[in-house]
Amino acid sequence: MILESLAAVLILLLSGFAPGFALLRHARFAPAERAVASVGLSLFILYLISFAIYVMGIPPRFHLLLALTCLALNALFLRDIIAFLKIAEVKTLFATYGAVLFWNLLHVSLVRNLSSGDWMVDWFEHYQRSMFFLERPDLNVKFLDFPDVVAILM
């Protein structure tokens, strides 16, 4: 489980920058703008391709091909990426983001119990929705066995 989680984080780090950077490396943006735009565009591209894989009914294992493509983009533009990451403004930007991320993870680690009290049903519904997208069952699935909110209000 821990190795799978670390692998997922590594894949996200490798996939979350290179596709956008490949398209924006010659754009006339300031370095910080190019860094942020590269991450945003990369995540948007990953979303669109993942959505297309889901909608077309392509087996989820094709996400591995997507990750390998992003790895190839990292290798192809490695020199440009390293040169870009050496820019002081970009170093400061990513170091600051890393510090804020680390600080937030420290805060999350203080939570001892995620019982969620009365919100247990909401968490369970999100679990059911996640399983719906992973397993691709019949589209007439009803999440939870509660009446619809509209029916309650009528």
Side-chain angles (χ1 to χ4, degrees):
M1 173 94 173
I2 291 176
L3 288 177
E4 290 174 350
S5 298
L6 291 175
V9 169
L10 181 64
I11 289 171
L12 182 62
L13 288 174
L14 292 175
S15 303
F17 184 74
F21 183 76
L23 295 174
L24 297 175
R25 69 184 191 279
H26 296 300
R28 296 182 184 211
F29 293 151
E33 292 172 345
R34 195 171 340 142
V36 172
S38 295
V39 171
L41 184 59
S42 294
L43 295 177
F44 185 66
I45 290 169
L46 291 174
Y47 165 75
L48 287 178
I49 293 172
S50 295
F51 184 70
I53 288 172
Y54 179 78
V55 168
M56 289 190 244
I58 299 170
R61 66 178 174 267
F62 279 88
H63 286 283
L64 179 62
L65 181 64
L66 178 59
L68 292 174
T69 303
C70 291
L71 182 64
L73 285 173
N74 276 295
L76 186 64
F77 297 109
L78 186 62
R79 287 185 184 160
D80 291 339
I81 292 172
I82 290 173
F84 183 69
L85 293 176
K86 287 183 179 179
I87 299 172
E89 187 179 2
V90 175
K91 274 187 200 178
T92 305
L93 178 74
F94 283 124
T96 304
Y97 178 77
V100 170
L101 176 66
F102 180 71
W103 182 257
N104 285 328
L105 289 175
L106 283 177
H107 280 277
V108 170
S109 71
L110 293 174
V111 177
R112 289 181 161 195
N113 184 5
L114 291 173
S115 69
S116 70
D118 293 338
W119 285 93
M120 175 187 66
V121 175
D122 182 56
W123 287 60
F124 184 66
E125 181 184 4
H126 286 290
Y127 170 75
Q128 286 181 325
R129 289 179 189 278
S130 299
M131 296 311 294
F132 172 81
F133 285 108
L134 286 174
E135 296 172 356
R136 300 179 186 204
D138 183 32
L139 294 179
N140 295 322
V141 170
K142 186 171 184 178
F143 300 109
L144 302 175
D145 278 333
F146 297 133
D148 293 332
V149 174
V150 176
I152 292 172
L153 295 176
M154 294 277 179

